[in-house]
Amino acid sequence: MGTEVSTGRTAGERHPGTARGGPRSGGGEDAGPPSGEIAALLAELRRYLDLAPQLSLPPRAFTSPELYELERTRVFGRSWVLIAHRDDLAEPNSYVSVDVAGEQVVVTRDADGVLHGLSPICRHRMMPLVEPGTAGTAESFTCRYHLWRYGLDGRLIGATHMRKNPDFDPARCRLPAFAVEEWHGFVYVNLDAAAAPLTPQLARISADLTNYRLDDMAQLGSWSEEWACNWKVAVENAHENYHVMGFHPETLQPSTPGGSDTDVRVDSPWALRLLIPFAQPVETWALPLTAEEKAHMYGFFVFPGASLAAAGEMIIWLSLIPQTIDRTLVRGGILVPRAALEGGDLDEMRRNAESYAGMINREDRDGLEAVQRAVGSRFAGRGHLSPKEPGVVAFYQSLARALLRDDDDWPGGL
C-alpha cells in the first residue's frame, strides 16, 4: 500500500468547520475586519515573509484567543493533519477518533479496507457517536441518545421511529465527510473535503525516504498524551535541535548535539526538511542506507504539526494537534523494519521503545509546559533566535502563509 486518497464528500455538502468562504477572524462568513490586536499580530507574521527577522513570535501569539480562533479556521480548517499510522487502522472496521482544534474527527477503515474521515456528530440531536481519544473496531456507530446508526462510511443505516416524518429522507442523511489520505502508511485528514491532495506536495520527501522503505515499516510502539502548552510552543520546539543540549543532555545530546548546524530545505507550503548530523554515523543491517543517510538524522515536517524523524533504522513520527488554546494533543509512534521484529520478543521490544520515547517526551513536556506558564507574563518578550534555529523561522513563514492567504490563494507557492 502506498498512497490512498478519498474525499468521501456528499455532493453539495461542506463541513461547517472548513475555511472556505474566507472568514477573516474565525467568526464565520460575516466576520468583520480583524481587531487591532489581530491586525498587529498578522503584521508581525507578514514580516517573516518579507524580511525573515531572526526573532521569536510575540508572546501574545501564544495566548490570544482571537488568534487561536483564526488558527482554527485558517490553519486547522484547511490543512492536512496527521491522525494515525496505518498499523493503528490495520483491521477492517477499525477506527481512531481525535479532536482537532475543537472539531471531533473519526477516521475509519471499513470492511472493504477503504479509509473515511468523518465528523462523528449524530445528525439528529448532535450527540457524539464516539469520544475523542478512543480507538477500536466496530461494524457501525450507534448513537447512545436515540439509537440512530451509521456505517463506517458515514451513511445512515438506521433511525428509530422516523417513518412518519414526511420531511425526513434517510438517503440524504449522512455524517459530514472530510478529505482523507494515506501517504506511505501515514493517515492524514483535512477538514476541507475539497482540499487538493497532499501527496504531490510530498514528492521530494518521498524520494528522500526511498531507502527507508516506509511501506515496509511496522509500528513497534505508540503514544497519545496531552501537554499543557499552546500548539505553536510545541511545534517550534520540534523545528530545531538547539534545545537538545538543555532539555535532553543525556538522552539526545550525545548522538545529535544541539550545537551542530541544521540544514533546512523548504519544498512547499506543506513540506519542510531538516538535516541534522549525528555525532557518529549509525550502523544499519536491514536498510540500504547511504553513508550520508547513516551520518544524518532526517527530519521531515508537514505543516501545521506533523513530523517524521528518520534516524538510521528507526522512524519516529509525531503529530501535534491543538485541543484548546493552551492544550496540545501529542500523538506518535516508533517504526522499525519488519525484519527487525522477526524472532524477537515483541512485548519487550515494545516496552523498551515506548520507555525510550517516554523519557524524551517527558523532557520536552516539562520544559514546554514551563514555557507556557511564562508566555503570559507582562515581562515576557520576543527573543533573538540563534543561527542554530533556522527551522523555527521556516515554521513562522508557513504559519504566516496560512493565516494571511485567502482561500483562492491557499496553499499557493512559497
Side-chain angles (χ1 to χ4, degrees):
M1 297 173 66
T3 300
E4 180 177 344
V5 182
S6 171
T7 64
R9 180 171 43 119
T10 301
E13 182 176 27
R14 185 176 305 283
H15 187 267
T18 66
R20 299 286 174 177
R24 298 186 188 181
S25 60
E29 300 287 344
D30 298 324
S35 69
E37 178 178 70
I38 288 296
L41 287 171
L42 293 180
E44 288 302 314
L45 282 165
R46 189 181 299 279
R47 293 184 65 219
Y48 289 110
L49 299 177
D50 297 336
L51 303 172
Q54 301 299 299
L55 290 171
S56 62
L57 288 173
R60 191 64 177 149
F62 303 101
T63 61
S64 167
E66 289 182 274
L67 183 63
Y68 179 65
E69 285 303 308
L70 189 60
E71 291 168 347
R72 290 186 64 216
T73 44
R74 290 220 161 176
V75 177
F76 293 95
R78 58 182 188 176
S79 296
W80 289 96
V81 177
L82 176 56
I83 301 297
H85 183 260
R86 176 194 299 148
D87 287 0
D88 297 316
L89 293 157
E91 298 181 37
N93 296 325
S94 56
Y95 69 91
V96 173
S97 180
V98 300
D99 181 291
V100 177
E103 285 290 352
Q104 296 186 35
V105 173
V106 64
V107 178
T108 68
R109 190 181 296 280
D110 66 21
D112 296 322
V114 178
L115 286 172
H116 304 273
L118 303 166
S119 172
I121 309 299
C122 183
R123 305 301 282 170
H124 175 223
R125 296 268 297 281
M126 297 176 289
M127 170 64 72
L129 302 172
V130 293
E131 291 298 325
T134 60
T137 58
E139 293 185 357
S140 61
F141 295 129
T142 299
C143 179
R144 63 189 178 92
Y145 200 177
H146 300 95
L147 304 185
W148 286 34
R149 191 158 58 97
Y150 300 84
L152 269 65
D153 60 357
R155 291 179 302 110
L156 179 70
I157 56 179
T160 56
H161 303 294
M162 290 297 296
R163 291 180 180 176
K164 293 184 178 181
N165 183 336
D167 297 325
F168 177 67
D169 181 359
R172 295 180 56 84
C173 181
R174 62 178 296 125
L175 301 177
F178 307 133
V180 61
E181 188 164 334
E182 181 176 333
W183 174 80
H184 294 300
F186 297 98
V187 179
Y188 288 82
V189 161
N190 194 317
L191 299 188
D192 180 358
L198 174 65
T199 294
Q201 300 288 333
L202 306 184
R204 196 169 180 186
I205 290 178
S206 292
D208 288 339
L209 288 167
T210 298
N211 290 338
Y212 291 91
R213 298 176 175 173
L214 289 181
D215 293 312
D216 295 328
M217 288 273 183
Q219 184 162 268
L220 180 58
S222 63
W223 56 88
S224 180
E225 54 193 52
E226 188 173 282
W227 295 2
C229 65
N230 181 268
W231 71 277
K232 296 185 295 298
V233 169
V235 172
E236 66 179 14
N237 178 74
H239 276 73
E240 49 94 351
N241 193 55
Y242 185 41
H243 73 278
V244 162
M245 64 179 72
F247 281 5
H248 313 289
E250 297 179 2
T251 50
L252 294 178
Q253 174 69 10
S255 60
T256 52
S260 60
D261 290 331
T262 298
D263 180 70
V264 176
R265 188 193 75 211
V266 181
D267 296 337
S268 74
W270 297 124
L272 176 151
R273 187 272 282 145
L274 299 184
L275 196 61
I276 300 167
F278 288 123
Q280 297 292 332
V282 298
E283 296 182 3
T284 61
W285 64 275
L287 297 178
L289 300 187
T290 66
E292 183 77 1
E293 290 164 344
K294 293 177 182 179
H296 291 86
M297 182 178 76
Y298 283 69
F300 300 94
F301 296 85
V302 176
F303 181 81
S307 68
L308 306 180
E313 294 186 336
M314 178 174 64
I315 304 284
I316 299 176
W317 68 270
L318 278 178
S319 187
L320 305 169
I321 307 172
Q323 305 298 281
T324 64
I325 192 172
D326 60 358
R327 293 291 187 275
T328 299
L329 177 65
V330 181
R331 291 181 56 81
I334 295 180
L335 310 180
V336 297
R338 292 191 185 277
L341 304 179
E342 296 176 0
D345 184 332
L346 293 183
D347 289 337
E348 182 179 2
M349 295 170 71
R350 181 175 294 107
R351 284 194 298 270
N352 290 339
E354 291 179 347
S355 175
Y356 170 72
M359 283 192 300
I360 296 170
N361 284 345
R362 281 191 298 274
E363 291 168 347
D364 277 319
R365 179 178 185 169
D366 289 347
L368 299 180
E369 290 185 348
V371 171
Q372 184 66 33
R373 291 192 294 271
V375 294
S377 169
R378 60 194 176 98
F379 299 106
R382 303 177 76 176
H384 291 277
L385 297 175
S386 167
K388 307 296 182 182
E389 301 174 285
V392 174
V393 172
F395 165 61
Y396 293 165
Q397 291 172 330
S398 295
L399 179 65
R401 294 184 192 101
L403 290 175
L404 293 168
R405 287 180 177 174
D406 292 326
D407 289 323
D408 291 343
D409 300 324
W410 175 252
L414 296 175

